[in-house]
Amino acid sequence: MTNPLTLDIPAGVPWIDFMREFDAPVEAVFNAHRDPELVRQWLGPRGYEMDIERWDFTPGGGYRYVHRNPEGMEFGFHGTFHTVRDNDLAIQTFEFEGAPDEVAIEFMRFVDLGDGRCRLEGRSIGRTVEGRDMMVESGMEKGMSEGYERLDELVAAPTSAPAPAQG
């Protein structure tokens, strides 16, 4: 069973809060955000292909990727990672290239719930309420829900956990 995505989209302000629990350790969920090969396997809606041009999940690092839907339409995204603290916090900018200048800053906290479970808590703050609403109306909730379902499937696999340290 998959856990539901919770979105809070308050009227009149340019942010969205989201929360999603995973039946996987915080380390596995964090690693699935850090490792570009794992990111490619879960980020975005089902049926979309993803090409990652750049993925440097470190403070000051950046990213750019393109989703391709089954009809062949492409959707590019890019941004900068500002803060990355292992198994705790990531702060990044996010820009859909189809809506230039509508850059959001996103905060993602990885919360260890114990018993091999974790919760991802986030806030995405847009430049304008109109830009935030455009993102919501673009099908963002469906894409996030399907992506997190795919992440559930991925972190259930033994390859998503970080490799043990060599000593």
Short mmCIF file of all heavy atoms in Angstrom, two decimals, residues 3-55:
data_model
loop_
_atom_site.label_atom_id
_atom_site.label_comp_id
_atom_site.label_asym_id
_atom_site.label_seq_id
_atom_site.Cartn_x
_atom_site.Cartn_y
_atom_site.Cartn_z
N ASN A 3 1.45 5.36 0.64
CA ASN A 3 1.00 6.43 1.52
C ASN A 3 0.54 7.61 0.67
O ASN A 3 1.13 7.90 -0.37
CB ASN A 3 2.14 6.85 2.44
CG ASN A 3 2.56 5.73 3.36
OD1 ASN A 3 1.76 5.20 4.11
ND2 ASN A 3 3.82 5.33 3.28
N PRO A 4 -0.47 8.34 1.12
CA PRO A 4 -0.97 9.47 0.32
C PRO A 4 -0.06 10.70 0.41
O PRO A 4 0.62 10.92 1.41
CB PRO A 4 -2.33 9.77 0.94
CG PRO A 4 -2.20 9.32 2.37
CD PRO A 4 -1.27 8.13 2.34
N LEU A 5 -0.06 11.47 -0.66
CA LEU A 5 0.58 12.78 -0.68
C LEU A 5 -0.42 13.77 -0.09
O LEU A 5 -1.60 13.77 -0.47
CB LEU A 5 0.91 13.18 -2.12
CG LEU A 5 1.34 14.62 -2.36
CD1 LEU A 5 2.68 14.89 -1.71
CD2 LEU A 5 1.39 14.90 -3.86
N THR A 6 0.03 14.60 0.83
CA THR A 6 -0.80 15.65 1.39
C THR A 6 -0.29 16.99 0.88
O THR A 6 0.89 17.30 1.03
CB THR A 6 -0.74 15.64 2.93
OG1 THR A 6 -1.14 14.35 3.40
CG2 THR A 6 -1.63 16.71 3.53
N LEU A 7 -1.17 17.75 0.23
CA LEU A 7 -0.83 19.09 -0.25
C LEU A 7 -1.68 20.11 0.48
O LEU A 7 -2.87 19.90 0.69
CB LEU A 7 -1.12 19.22 -1.75
CG LEU A 7 -0.23 18.46 -2.71
CD1 LEU A 7 -0.71 18.67 -4.14
CD2 LEU A 7 1.21 18.90 -2.58
N ASP A 8 -1.06 21.21 0.85
CA ASP A 8 -1.77 22.36 1.41
C ASP A 8 -1.46 23.53 0.48
O ASP A 8 -0.30 23.94 0.38
CB ASP A 8 -1.30 22.64 2.84
CG ASP A 8 -2.05 23.81 3.48
OD1 ASP A 8 -3.14 24.19 2.98
OD2 ASP A 8 -1.54 24.35 4.48
N ILE A 9 -2.49 24.03 -0.20
CA ILE A 9 -2.34 25.10 -1.19
C ILE A 9 -3.21 26.27 -0.73
O ILE A 9 -4.35 26.44 -1.18
CB ILE A 9 -2.76 24.61 -2.60
CG1 ILE A 9 -2.01 23.32 -2.94
CG2 ILE A 9 -2.52 25.69 -3.64
CD1 ILE A 9 -2.55 22.58 -4.14
N PRO A 10 -2.71 27.09 0.20
CA PRO A 10 -3.54 28.15 0.75
C PRO A 10 -3.79 29.27 -0.27
O PRO A 10 -2.90 29.62 -1.05
CB PRO A 10 -2.72 28.67 1.94
CG PRO A 10 -1.34 28.17 1.75
CD PRO A 10 -1.39 27.01 0.82
N ALA A 11 -4.99 29.80 -0.25
CA ALA A 11 -5.36 30.89 -1.16
C ALA A 11 -4.59 32.16 -0.82
O ALA A 11 -4.33 32.46 0.34
CB ALA A 11 -6.86 31.16 -1.07
N GLY A 12 -4.20 32.88 -1.87
CA GLY A 12 -3.64 34.22 -1.70
C GLY A 12 -2.18 34.30 -1.31
O GLY A 12 -1.67 35.39 -1.07
N VAL A 13 -1.48 33.17 -1.20
CA VAL A 13 -0.05 33.18 -0.89
C VAL A 13 0.69 32.32 -1.92
O VAL A 13 0.10 31.41 -2.49
CB VAL A 13 0.24 32.67 0.55
CG1 VAL A 13 -0.37 33.61 1.59
CG2 VAL A 13 -0.27 31.26 0.74
N PRO A 14 1.96 32.60 -2.19
CA PRO A 14 2.65 31.92 -3.28
C PRO A 14 3.35 30.61 -2.90
O PRO A 14 4.32 30.23 -3.51
CB PRO A 14 3.67 32.97 -3.75
CG PRO A 14 4.01 33.71 -2.51
CD PRO A 14 2.72 33.76 -1.71
N TRP A 15 2.86 29.91 -1.87
CA TRP A 15 3.54 28.67 -1.52
C TRP A 15 2.60 27.48 -1.48
O TRP A 15 1.38 27.61 -1.43
CB TRP A 15 4.31 28.78 -0.20
CG TRP A 15 3.48 28.97 1.03
CD1 TRP A 15 2.76 28.02 1.70
CD2 TRP A 15 3.31 30.18 1.75
NE1 TRP A 15 2.16 28.56 2.79
CE2 TRP A 15 2.49 29.88 2.85
CE3 TRP A 15 3.79 31.47 1.60
CZ2 TRP A 15 2.12 30.85 3.78
CZ3 TRP A 15 3.44 32.42 2.51
CH2 TRP A 15 2.61 32.11 3.60
N ILE A 16 3.24 26.30 -1.48
CA ILE A 16 2.57 25.01 -1.37
C ILE A 16 3.34 24.23 -0.31
O ILE A 16 4.57 24.17 -0.35
CB ILE A 16 2.64 24.23 -2.70
CG1 ILE A 16 1.93 24.99 -3.81
CG2 ILE A 16 2.08 22.82 -2.54
CD1 ILE A 16 2.30 24.47 -5.19
N ASP A 17 2.62 23.63 0.62
CA ASP A 17 3.25 22.71 1.57
C ASP A 17 2.87 21.30 1.16
O ASP A 17 1.73 21.05 0.73
CB ASP A 17 2.76 22.98 3.00
CG ASP A 17 3.32 24.28 3.55
OD1 ASP A 17 4.47 24.63 3.22
OD2 ASP A 17 2.59 24.95 4.32
N PHE A 18 3.81 20.38 1.30
CA PHE A 18 3.52 18.98 0.98
C PHE A 18 4.15 18.07 2.02
O PHE A 18 5.13 18.43 2.68
CB PHE A 18 3.98 18.61 -0.43
CG PHE A 18 5.44 18.76 -0.70
CD1 PHE A 18 6.31 17.69 -0.54
CD2 PHE A 18 5.95 19.98 -1.13
CE1 PHE A 18 7.66 17.84 -0.81
CE2 PHE A 18 7.31 20.12 -1.40
CZ PHE A 18 8.17 19.05 -1.24
N MET A 19 3.54 16.89 2.14
CA MET A 19 4.03 15.92 3.10
C MET A 19 3.72 14.53 2.54
O MET A 19 2.66 14.30 1.97
CB MET A 19 3.36 16.11 4.46
CG MET A 19 3.93 15.24 5.54
SD MET A 19 3.33 15.68 7.22
CE MET A 19 1.59 15.91 6.97
N ARG A 20 4.68 13.63 2.73
CA ARG A 20 4.51 12.26 2.24
C ARG A 20 5.33 11.33 3.11
O ARG A 20 6.51 11.60 3.36
CB ARG A 20 4.96 12.19 0.79
CG ARG A 20 4.95 10.80 0.15
CD ARG A 20 3.53 10.27 0.00
NE ARG A 20 3.37 9.30 -1.07
CZ ARG A 20 3.86 8.07 -1.07
NH1 ARG A 20 4.61 7.63 -0.08
NH2 ARG A 20 3.62 7.29 -2.09
N GLU A 21 4.71 10.27 3.63
CA GLU A 21 5.44 9.28 4.41
C GLU A 21 5.86 8.12 3.52
O GLU A 21 5.19 7.82 2.51
CB GLU A 21 4.59 8.78 5.58
CG GLU A 21 4.39 9.85 6.62
CD GLU A 21 3.70 9.37 7.89
OE1 GLU A 21 3.43 8.15 8.02
OE2 GLU A 21 3.44 10.23 8.76
N PHE A 22 6.98 7.49 3.89
CA PHE A 22 7.51 6.35 3.15
C PHE A 22 7.80 5.23 4.14
O PHE A 22 8.31 5.47 5.24
CB PHE A 22 8.81 6.74 2.43
CG PHE A 22 8.59 7.76 1.35
CD1 PHE A 22 8.65 9.12 1.65
CD2 PHE A 22 8.29 7.37 0.05
CE1 PHE A 22 8.43 10.07 0.67
CE2 PHE A 22 8.06 8.32 -0.93
CZ PHE A 22 8.13 9.67 -0.63
N ASP A 23 7.50 4.02 3.72
CA ASP A 23 7.79 2.84 4.53
C ASP A 23 9.20 2.37 4.19
O ASP A 23 9.42 1.24 3.74
CB ASP A 23 6.75 1.76 4.27
CG ASP A 23 5.35 2.21 4.67
OD1 ASP A 23 5.23 2.92 5.69
OD2 ASP A 23 4.39 1.87 3.97
N ALA A 24 10.15 3.28 4.40
CA ALA A 24 11.55 3.03 4.11
C ALA A 24 12.38 3.94 5.01
O ALA A 24 11.91 4.99 5.44
CB ALA A 24 11.86 3.34 2.64
N PRO A 25 13.61 3.54 5.29
CA PRO A 25 14.47 4.38 6.13
C PRO A 25 14.77 5.72 5.49
O PRO A 25 14.83 5.84 4.26
CB PRO A 25 15.76 3.55 6.28
CG PRO A 25 15.45 2.20 5.76
CD PRO A 25 14.26 2.31 4.87
N VAL A 26 15.00 6.72 6.32
CA VAL A 26 15.30 8.06 5.82
C VAL A 26 16.52 8.03 4.90
O VAL A 26 16.57 8.75 3.90
CB VAL A 26 15.45 9.06 6.99
CG1 VAL A 26 16.71 8.83 7.79
CG2 VAL A 26 15.38 10.49 6.50
N GLU A 27 17.50 7.18 5.20
CA GLU A 27 18.71 7.12 4.37
C GLU A 27 18.39 6.68 2.95
O GLU A 27 18.98 7.19 2.00
CB GLU A 27 19.74 6.15 4.98
CG GLU A 27 20.26 6.58 6.33
CD GLU A 27 19.39 6.14 7.51
OE1 GLU A 27 18.35 5.47 7.29
OE2 GLU A 27 19.73 6.50 8.65
N ALA A 28 17.47 5.75 2.78
CA ALA A 28 17.11 5.27 1.44
C ALA A 28 16.36 6.34 0.65
O ALA A 28 16.62 6.54 -0.54
CB ALA A 28 16.26 4.00 1.54
N VAL A 29 15.46 7.07 1.31
CA VAL A 29 14.71 8.12 0.63
C VAL A 29 15.63 9.28 0.28
O VAL A 29 15.57 9.83 -0.84
CB VAL A 29 13.51 8.58 1.49
CG1 VAL A 29 12.81 9.77 0.87
CG2 VAL A 29 12.52 7.42 1.68
N PHE A 30 16.53 9.64 1.20
CA PHE A 30 17.48 10.71 0.90
C PHE A 30 18.40 10.31 -0.26
O PHE A 30 18.64 11.10 -1.18
CB PHE A 30 18.30 11.05 2.15
CG PHE A 30 19.20 12.23 1.96
CD1 PHE A 30 18.73 13.52 2.15
CD2 PHE A 30 20.52 12.07 1.56
CE1 PHE A 30 19.55 14.62 1.96
CE2 PHE A 30 21.36 13.16 1.37
CZ PHE A 30 20.87 14.43 1.57
N ASN A 31 18.91 9.09 -0.22
CA ASN A 31 19.80 8.62 -1.28
C ASN A 31 19.10 8.62 -2.64
O ASN A 31 19.71 8.90 -3.66
CB ASN A 31 20.34 7.23 -0.95
CG ASN A 31 21.48 6.85 -1.86
OD1 ASN A 31 22.44 7.59 -2.03
ND2 ASN A 31 21.36 5.68 -2.48
N ALA A 32 17.80 8.33 -2.64
CA ALA A 32 17.03 8.35 -3.89
C ALA A 32 16.87 9.76 -4.43
O ALA A 32 16.54 9.95 -5.60
CB ALA A 32 15.67 7.69 -3.70
N HIS A 33 17.09 10.77 -3.61
CA HIS A 33 17.12 12.17 -4.05
C HIS A 33 18.52 12.59 -4.48
O HIS A 33 18.68 13.49 -5.30
CB HIS A 33 16.64 13.11 -2.94
CG HIS A 33 15.17 13.13 -2.75
ND1 HIS A 33 14.48 12.13 -2.12
CD2 HIS A 33 14.24 14.04 -3.14
CE1 HIS A 33 13.19 12.42 -2.11
NE2 HIS A 33 13.02 13.58 -2.72
N ARG A 34 19.54 11.95 -3.93
CA ARG A 34 20.93 12.32 -4.18
C ARG A 34 21.48 11.67 -5.46
O ARG A 34 22.18 12.31 -6.23
CB ARG A 34 21.80 11.91 -2.99
CG ARG A 34 23.28 12.07 -3.26
CD ARG A 34 24.21 11.60 -2.15
NE ARG A 34 23.67 10.63 -1.25
CZ ARG A 34 23.83 10.65 0.06
NH1 ARG A 34 24.55 11.59 0.63
NH2 ARG A 34 23.30 9.72 0.83
N ASP A 35 21.22 10.40 -5.66
CA ASP A 35 21.81 9.61 -6.74
C ASP A 35 21.05 9.83 -8.04
O ASP A 35 19.88 9.47 -8.15
CB ASP A 35 21.78 8.14 -6.35
CG ASP A 35 22.43 7.22 -7.34
OD1 ASP A 35 22.39 7.50 -8.56
OD2 ASP A 35 22.97 6.18 -6.91
N PRO A 36 21.69 10.44 -9.07
CA PRO A 36 20.95 10.76 -10.30
C PRO A 36 20.37 9.53 -11.00
O PRO A 36 19.30 9.64 -11.62
CB PRO A 36 21.99 11.46 -11.19
CG PRO A 36 23.31 11.17 -10.58
CD PRO A 36 23.08 10.85 -9.13
N GLU A 37 21.01 8.39 -10.88
CA GLU A 37 20.45 7.18 -11.50
C GLU A 37 19.14 6.78 -10.82
O GLU A 37 18.19 6.36 -11.47
CB GLU A 37 21.45 6.03 -11.48
CG GLU A 37 20.93 4.76 -12.12
CD GLU A 37 20.38 4.92 -13.54
OE1 GLU A 37 20.88 5.77 -14.31
OE2 GLU A 37 19.41 4.21 -13.87
N LEU A 38 19.08 6.94 -9.50
CA LEU A 38 17.85 6.65 -8.77
C LEU A 38 16.80 7.72 -9.06
O LEU A 38 15.62 7.41 -9.25
CB LEU A 38 18.12 6.52 -7.27
CG LEU A 38 19.06 5.37 -6.88
CD1 LEU A 38 19.32 5.40 -5.37
CD2 LEU A 38 18.50 4.03 -7.31
N VAL A 39 17.20 9.00 -9.08
CA VAL A 39 16.27 10.10 -9.37
C VAL A 39 15.57 9.84 -10.71
O VAL A 39 14.36 10.00 -10.84
CB VAL A 39 17.02 11.45 -9.39
CG1 VAL A 39 16.13 12.56 -9.93
CG2 VAL A 39 17.52 11.81 -8.00
N ARG A 40 16.34 9.43 -11.71
CA ARG A 40 15.80 9.18 -13.05
C ARG A 40 14.70 8.12 -13.02
O ARG A 40 13.77 8.15 -13.81
CB ARG A 40 16.93 8.74 -13.98
CG ARG A 40 16.52 8.63 -15.44
CD ARG A 40 17.59 8.01 -16.31
NE ARG A 40 17.92 6.64 -15.91
CZ ARG A 40 17.13 5.59 -16.09
NH1 ARG A 40 15.96 5.72 -16.65
NH2 ARG A 40 17.52 4.39 -15.70
N GLN A 41 14.78 7.21 -12.06
CA GLN A 41 13.82 6.11 -11.99
C GLN A 41 12.50 6.48 -11.32
O GLN A 41 11.51 5.75 -11.48
CB GLN A 41 14.44 4.92 -11.26
CG GLN A 41 15.61 4.31 -11.98
CD GLN A 41 16.23 3.19 -11.18
OE1 GLN A 41 15.55 2.28 -10.74
NE2 GLN A 41 17.54 3.28 -10.97
N TRP A 42 12.45 7.60 -10.58
CA TRP A 42 11.22 7.88 -9.86
C TRP A 42 10.64 9.27 -10.07
O TRP A 42 9.42 9.46 -9.92
CB TRP A 42 11.38 7.65 -8.35
CG TRP A 42 12.24 8.63 -7.63
CD1 TRP A 42 13.57 8.51 -7.36
CD2 TRP A 42 11.85 9.90 -7.08
NE1 TRP A 42 14.03 9.61 -6.68
CE2 TRP A 42 12.99 10.48 -6.50
CE3 TRP A 42 10.65 10.60 -7.03
CZ2 TRP A 42 12.97 11.72 -5.86
CZ3 TRP A 42 10.61 11.84 -6.40
CH2 TRP A 42 11.76 12.38 -5.83
N LEU A 43 11.44 10.26 -10.40
CA LEU A 43 10.94 11.63 -10.44
C LEU A 43 10.03 11.85 -11.64
O LEU A 43 10.43 11.63 -12.78
CB LEU A 43 12.11 12.62 -10.47
CG LEU A 43 11.74 14.10 -10.39
CD1 LEU A 43 11.01 14.41 -9.08
CD2 LEU A 43 12.98 14.97 -10.51
N GLY A 44 8.81 12.27 -11.37
CA GLY A 44 7.87 12.60 -12.43
C GLY A 44 6.79 11.56 -12.63
O GLY A 44 6.79 10.51 -12.00
N PRO A 45 5.87 11.87 -13.53
CA PRO A 45 4.72 10.99 -13.75
C PRO A 45 5.12 9.66 -14.39
O PRO A 45 6.13 9.56 -15.09
CB PRO A 45 3.85 11.78 -14.73
CG PRO A 45 4.37 13.17 -14.73
CD PRO A 45 5.80 13.09 -14.31
N ARG A 46 4.29 8.66 -14.17
CA ARG A 46 4.46 7.36 -14.84
C ARG A 46 4.34 7.57 -16.35
O ARG A 46 3.57 8.40 -16.82
CB ARG A 46 3.40 6.38 -14.38
CG ARG A 46 3.58 5.94 -12.96
CD ARG A 46 2.64 4.77 -12.61
NE ARG A 46 2.72 4.47 -11.19
CZ ARG A 46 3.66 3.71 -10.64
NH1 ARG A 46 4.60 3.19 -11.39
NH2 ARG A 46 3.66 3.47 -9.34
N GLY A 47 5.13 6.81 -17.09
CA GLY A 47 5.05 6.87 -18.54
C GLY A 47 5.94 7.92 -19.17
O GLY A 47 6.05 7.99 -20.39
N TYR A 48 6.57 8.75 -18.36
CA TYR A 48 7.48 9.77 -18.87
C TYR A 48 8.91 9.23 -18.82
O TYR A 48 9.28 8.53 -17.89
CB TYR A 48 7.43 11.05 -18.01
CG TYR A 48 6.25 11.94 -18.28
CD1 TYR A 48 4.97 11.44 -18.40
CD2 TYR A 48 6.42 13.31 -18.38
CE1 TYR A 48 3.90 12.28 -18.62
CE2 TYR A 48 5.35 14.16 -18.59
CZ TYR A 48 4.08 13.62 -18.72
OH TYR A 48 3.03 14.46 -18.94
N GLU A 49 9.69 9.59 -19.81
CA GLU A 49 11.12 9.31 -19.78
C GLU A 49 11.82 10.52 -19.19
O GLU A 49 11.33 11.64 -19.28
CB GLU A 49 11.65 9.06 -21.19
CG GLU A 49 11.11 7.80 -21.84
CD GLU A 49 11.66 7.60 -23.24
OE1 GLU A 49 12.73 8.15 -23.56
OE2 GLU A 49 11.00 6.90 -24.00
N MET A 50 12.99 10.29 -18.61
CA MET A 50 13.74 11.40 -18.00
C MET A 50 15.19 11.32 -18.42
O MET A 50 15.83 10.28 -18.27
CB MET A 50 13.63 11.33 -16.48
CG MET A 50 14.33 12.46 -15.77
SD MET A 50 14.09 12.31 -13.99
CE MET A 50 14.81 13.83 -13.42
N ASP A 51 15.70 12.42 -18.94
CA ASP A 51 17.12 12.55 -19.24
C ASP A 51 17.69 13.57 -18.27
O ASP A 51 17.16 14.68 -18.16
CB ASP A 51 17.34 13.04 -20.68
CG ASP A 51 16.88 12.02 -21.71
OD1 ASP A 51 17.13 10.81 -21.50
OD2 ASP A 51 16.25 12.43 -22.70
N ILE A 52 18.76 13.20 -17.58
CA ILE A 52 19.41 14.11 -16.65
C ILE A 52 20.69 14.62 -17.30
O ILE A 52 21.59 13.84 -17.60
CB ILE A 52 19.71 13.42 -15.31
CG1 ILE A 52 18.41 12.98 -14.64
CG2 ILE A 52 20.51 14.36 -14.40
CD1 ILE A 52 18.60 12.25 -13.33
N GLU A 53 20.73 15.91 -17.53
CA GLU A 53 21.92 16.54 -18.09
C GLU A 53 22.97 16.80 -17.00
O GLU A 53 24.16 16.66 -17.21
CB GLU A 53 21.52 17.85 -18.76
CG GLU A 53 22.65 18.63 -19.38
CD GLU A 53 22.15 19.92 -19.98
OE1 GLU A 53 21.28 19.86 -20.89
OE2 GLU A 53 22.60 21.00 -19.55
N ARG A 54 22.48 17.21 -15.82
CA ARG A 54 23.37 17.55 -14.71
C ARG A 54 22.62 17.27 -13.41
O ARG A 54 21.43 17.58 -13.28
CB ARG A 54 23.76 19.03 -14.82
CG ARG A 54 24.66 19.55 -13.74
CD ARG A 54 25.09 21.01 -13.98
NE ARG A 54 24.00 21.97 -13.84
CZ ARG A 54 23.37 22.59 -14.83
NH1 ARG A 54 23.71 22.37 -16.07
NH2 ARG A 54 22.39 23.45 -14.60
N TRP A 55 23.30 16.68 -12.43
CA TRP A 55 22.71 16.44 -11.11
C TRP A 55 23.84 16.43 -10.09
O TRP A 55 24.51 15.42 -9.89
CB TRP A 55 21.95 15.11 -11.07
CG TRP A 55 21.08 15.01 -9.86
CD1 TRP A 55 21.42 14.47 -8.64
CD2 TRP A 55 19.75 15.48 -9.72
NE1 TRP A 55 20.37 14.59 -7.76
CE2 TRP A 55 19.32 15.20 -8.42
CE3 TRP A 55 18.86 16.13 -10.59
CZ2 TRP A 55 18.06 15.53 -7.96
CZ3 TRP A 55 17.60 16.45 -10.13
CH2 TRP A 55 17.21 16.15 -8.83
#
